[in-house]
Amino acid sequence: MTEKSAARTVVSVAQQDWADQLTDLDGVELVVWDMKDAPPRDDIELVVPPYMSNPKRLEHLCELPSLKAVQLATAGFEHALQYLPSGVALANGRGIHDTSTAELAIGLAIASQRAIPDAVRAQQSGQWLRLADRPSLADRKALVIGYGSIGRMLVSRLQVLEVDCTVVASRARAGDDLVDRVYGIDEIDQLLPAAEIVFLILPMTDATRHLVDDEFLAALPDDALVVNVARGGIVDTDALQRACAAGHVRAAMDVTDPEPLPADHPLWTTPGVLITPHVGGATTAFTPRLIRLLRREISHFIATGELSNVVVVGD
């Protein structure tokens, strides 16, 4: 290793095109590593894993003696926890997917409210359906469960569409420039009976697994819509399928449990259910926002040895 490279922080990124857009950063030596095989060198201090790849690739993290931090390209991070070496900081990609995920959540809600799937099926047979008087998105009472960066982005767009938004976070707190009050998750029971649309955009934890169960769904008004752009396990799939099959609620989901949803799963053919294959953040908006985050975080790491969005440090 040369004297020049010894003074530079070695950072691995998963794709060549990511590296190509970061070459002007000072104090960094970029290594392209997709993590399919063993590390190309042992002095990597910061790893940016591949986006939407098999989490088992993260097993290679334990082979890096100089590793200090991992910067994910996803907002979710639970998939990485079991592979995180002791003392290594894990940061999520907070902010990268806000725009695309909020966009899809609204798209799913509009498609469900306005019966777009029915229109698509009718188009295939040349049938002119009468779809007047479907419920609009405007004037609906929406309950947004999860008020992080994506939740805020979603609420800001819903309000432009004249939706009445109530928001829930892990703990109650004062409002902000968008809402007068943030309710705590322990207050959710009193909010469900008025919720015509429920948007789920909260992290997957032991506390939130199967948050949406039979009791939750029963508390919703008839014909309520559940939009899940968070994680599939937040919803009890069997309970949701029963509630939709009974005609009590409808569902629009970008995530499922299990995932991928098996081809013979009854949810595919349950009336009132719309499913997209976990594509919330996977649009052309992803790469520009990822590169902006990496530029900021790599520079910060070189200057301070830390990342901004650390969610956990390995035991």
Side-chain angles (χ1 to χ4, degrees), residues 110-222:
I110 292 174
S112 295
Q113 293 293 92
R114 302 295 294 271
I116 302 302
D118 292 340
V120 171
R121 286 188 287 268
Q123 180 180 344
Q124 294 170 349
S125 60
Q127 181 184 4
W128 187 269
L129 288 183
R130 295 185 59 83
L131 293 175
D133 298 322
R134 291 286 305 177
S136 65
L137 198 57
D139 304 331
R140 300 282 73 78
K141 295 183 183 299
L143 181 62
V144 177
I145 305 178
Y147 197 55
S149 62
I150 299 177
R152 274 185 49 83
M153 182 73 75
L154 175 59
V155 169
S156 70
R157 281 152 171 71
L158 288 171
Q159 289 179 338
V160 171
L161 296 170
E162 302 178 52
V163 179
D164 181 2
C165 295
T166 300
V167 303
V168 173
S170 57
R171 288 178 294 276
R173 61 178 187 263
D176 54 21
D177 58 313
L178 295 177
V179 296
D180 294 332
R181 174 182 177 184
V182 179
Y183 289 85
I185 196 74
D186 57 333
E187 301 175 276
I188 201 168
D189 289 350
Q190 64 183 280
L191 304 174
L192 293 176
E196 296 172 287
I197 304 177
V198 176
F199 290 95
L200 302 171
I201 187 56
L202 67 165
M204 180 68 188
T205 67
D206 290 342
T208 61
R209 178 174 291 279
H210 286 188
L211 171 71
V212 179
D213 57 11
D214 286 304
E215 184 178 357
F216 181 110
L217 294 166
L220 293 172
D222 284 340

Side-chain angles (χ1 to χ4, degrees), residues 1-301:
M1 185 182 298
T2 66
E3 183 176 333
K4 180 180 179 180
S5 64
R8 295 159 69 88
T9 300
V10 181
V11 176
S12 77
V13 296
Q15 297 180 199
Q16 184 64 55
D17 62 315
W18 298 359
D20 291 342
Q21 297 179 71
L22 299 167
T23 54
D24 60 324
L25 291 177
D26 293 330
V28 62
E29 182 174 356
L30 293 169
V31 176
V32 178
W33 179 37
D34 63 10
M35 304 188 74
K36 290 181 180 178
D37 301 305
R41 50 198 291 176
D42 62 7
D43 57 349
I44 297 172
E45 297 182 43
L46 171 61
V47 170
V48 183
Y51 176 59
M52 299 286 284
S53 66
N54 189 332
K56 283 185 68 64
R57 293 192 195 182
L58 298 175
E59 288 178 336
H60 290 299
L61 293 175
C62 67
E63 301 168 26
L64 294 169
S66 300
L67 184 64
K68 296 179 180 177
V70 176
Q71 173 63 62
L72 297 176
T74 57
F77 58 88
E78 63 278 356
H79 64 282
L81 295 178
Q82 64 178 305
Y83 304 107
L84 189 66
S86 177
V88 173
L90 178 69
N92 72 342
R94 178 182 173 88
I96 295 175
H97 301 301
D98 295 7
T99 297
S100 291
T101 304
E103 179 180 272
L104 181 62
I106 290 172
L108 287 169
I110 292 174
S112 295
Q113 293 293 92
R114 302 295 294 271
I116 302 302
D118 292 340
V120 171
R121 286 188 287 268
Q123 180 180 344
Q124 294 170 349
S125 60
Q127 181 184 4
W128 187 269
L129 288 183
R130 295 185 59 83
L131 293 175
D133 298 322
R134 291 286 305 177
S136 65
L137 198 57
D139 304 331
R140 300 282 73 78
K141 295 183 183 299
L143 181 62
V144 177
I145 305 178
Y147 197 55
S149 62
I150 299 177
R152 274 185 49 83
M153 182 73 75
L154 175 59
V155 169
S156 70
R157 281 152 171 71
L158 288 171
Q159 289 179 338
V160 171
L161 296 170
E162 302 178 52
V163 179
D164 181 2
C165 295
T166 300
V167 303
V168 173
S170 57
R171 288 178 294 276
R173 61 178 187 263
D176 54 21
D177 58 313
L178 295 177
V179 296
D180 294 332
R181 174 182 177 184
V182 179
Y183 289 85
I185 196 74
D186 57 333
E187 301 175 276
I188 201 168
D189 289 350
Q190 64 183 280
L191 304 174
L192 293 176
E196 296 172 287
I197 304 177
V198 176
F199 290 95
L200 302 171
I201 187 56
L202 67 165
M204 180 68 188
T205 67
D206 290 342
T208 61
R209 178 174 291 279
H210 286 188
L211 171 71
V212 179
D213 57 11
D214 286 304
E215 184 178 357
F216 181 110
L217 294 166
L220 293 172
D222 284 340
D223 204 40
L225 174 66
V226 177
V227 181
N228 189 4
V229 290
R231 288 292 183 268
I234 290 170
V235 175
D236 181 333
T237 303
D238 292 341
L240 181 67
Q241 194 276 328
R242 287 192 295 268
C244 290
H248 174 53
V249 300
R250 294 169 292 124
M253 315 162 64
D254 186 48
V255 290
T256 61
D257 181 24
E259 189 173 301
L261 195 65
D264 61 351
H265 197 285
L267 202 60
W268 284 116
T269 54
T270 300
V273 175
L274 173 61
I275 301 170
T276 55
H278 202 157
V279 292
T283 72
T284 55
F286 166 71
T287 298
R289 286 157 181 78
L290 171 65
I291 297 303
R292 288 200 292 268
L293 179 137
L294 292 181
R295 294 181 69 86
R296 182 180 71 244
E297 292 304 313
I298 291 173
S299 296
H300 185 63
F301 183 78

